[in-house]
């Protein structure tokens, strides 16, 4: 599952970017893609947990906190979420690439440029080494991506894995593992 967060304080720009990302998502229907939108960088930061998103599409100039300092704060915690910036100015381009942004798109963002950047980002995501946990369930062996596991419960001699669904809700996975003594 590829999770994208878009953050822009402008309602109009946020809606335009969200619509374009959803169009790209529809064109990539063979992939599981989830998109969340935020009006405030602080709301995004509060909802973020390590490795929750694979890509952030951030406006740079926002009143509460600029997109550059937001990404720097997350990078300090060791999070390597990919970043694409959007901005009405090129003033911050060098700062953006200083934190290894994958793109810097001028506003208003054009779909062709966003699509090209999203395609490259998805290719990088798909090429990364994936870590899995192999679990014996009632249906037989399961291969569960570690990034999809939200939490694990120990119930008696069984372990229950709770995973993320494509719509972002938690789901109790139908996998349990017998604990060995």
């Amino acid at each position: 599952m590829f999770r994208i967060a878009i953050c822009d304080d402008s309602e109009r720009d946020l809606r335009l970017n969200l619509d374009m990302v959803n169009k790209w998502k529809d064109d990539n229907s063979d992939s599981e893609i989830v998109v969340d939108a935020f009006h405030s960088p602080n709301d995004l930061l509060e909802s973020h947990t390590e490795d929750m998103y694979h890509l952030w599409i951030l406006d740079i100039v926002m009143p509460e906190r600029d997109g550059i300092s937001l990404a720097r704060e997350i990078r300090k915690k060791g999070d390597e979420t990919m970043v694409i910036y959007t901005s009405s100015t090129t003033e911050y381009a060098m700062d953006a690439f200083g934190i290894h942004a994958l793109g810097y798109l001028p506003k208003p963002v054009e779909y062709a440029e966003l699509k090209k950047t999203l395609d490259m980002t998805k290719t990088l995501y798909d090429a990364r080494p994936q870590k899995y946990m192999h679990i014996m369930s009632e249906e037989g062996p399961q291969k569960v991506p570690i990034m999809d596991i939200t939490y694990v419960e120990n119930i008696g001699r069984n372990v229950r894995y709770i995973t993320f669904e494509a719509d972002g809700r938690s789901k109790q996975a139908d996998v349990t593992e017998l604990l060995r003594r």
Side-chain angles (χ1 to χ4, degrees):
M1 177 179 1
F2 188 59
R3 295 183 54 86
I4 301 171
I6 304 171
C7 185
D8 199 311
D9 63 312
S10 163
E11 177 69 38
R12 183 182 64 84
D13 290 337
L14 181 63
R15 174 57 45 203
L16 288 171
N17 289 338
L18 184 59
D19 289 346
M20 287 189 287
V21 171
N22 280 327
K23 179 181 179 350
W24 176 81
K25 175 184 164 183
D26 292 342
D27 292 342
N28 288 277
S29 59
D30 58 323
S31 298
E32 227 179 328
I33 301 169
V34 175
V35 184
D36 295 326
F38 298 88
H39 292 282
S40 157
N42 290 340
D43 290 346
L44 173 57
L45 193 58
E46 287 173 19
S47 75
H48 179 73
T49 58
E50 186 176 343
D51 297 326
M52 180 175 182
Y53 294 105
H54 305 107
L55 172 64
W56 287 7
I57 300 174
L58 303 175
D59 182 19
I60 291 183
V61 180
M62 295 183 278
E64 294 174 8
R65 174 192 309 252
D66 66 85
I68 302 287
S69 67
L70 176 65
R72 279 191 183 131
E73 184 171 336
I74 295 301
R75 291 279 194 259
K76 284 181 194 173
K77 298 176 182 177
D79 191 316
E80 293 300 318
T81 300
M82 295 180 280
V83 178
I84 297 171
Y85 284 111
T86 65
S87 184
S88 55
T89 177
T90 58
E91 179 181 345
Y92 302 97
M94 295 308 292
D95 292 330
F97 287 103
I99 62 132
H100 307 288
L102 295 176
Y104 193 98
L105 305 176
K107 288 183 178 182
V109 176
E110 293 183 20
Y111 180 71
E113 287 300 310
L114 180 61
K115 180 186 181 315
K116 184 170 61 173
T117 308
L118 288 170
D119 288 344
M120 176 191 62
T121 303
K122 183 72 168 68
T123 299
L124 290 170
Y125 172 78
D126 290 341
R128 84 197 185 302
Q130 182 73 268
K131 295 177 185 174
Y132 293 93
M133 179 174 277
H134 297 273
I135 300 166
M136 181 57 73
S137 74
E138 294 168 351
E139 293 88 32
Q142 302 284 322
K143 185 176 171 183
V144 179
I146 289 177
M147 289 189 68
D148 288 351
I149 298 173
T150 305
Y151 65 93
V152 179
E153 293 180 327
N154 181 7
I155 302 170
R157 295 186 59 181
N158 292 317
V159 176
R160 178 178 297 148
Y161 295 86
I162 310 301
T163 61
F164 259 130
E165 279 294 284
D167 62 6
R169 293 179 299 158
S170 291
K171 169 192 164 199
Q172 175 179 318
D174 192 17
V175 292
T176 55
E177 181 178 22
L178 182 63
L179 294 175
R180 309 216 193 285
R181 287 181 184 228

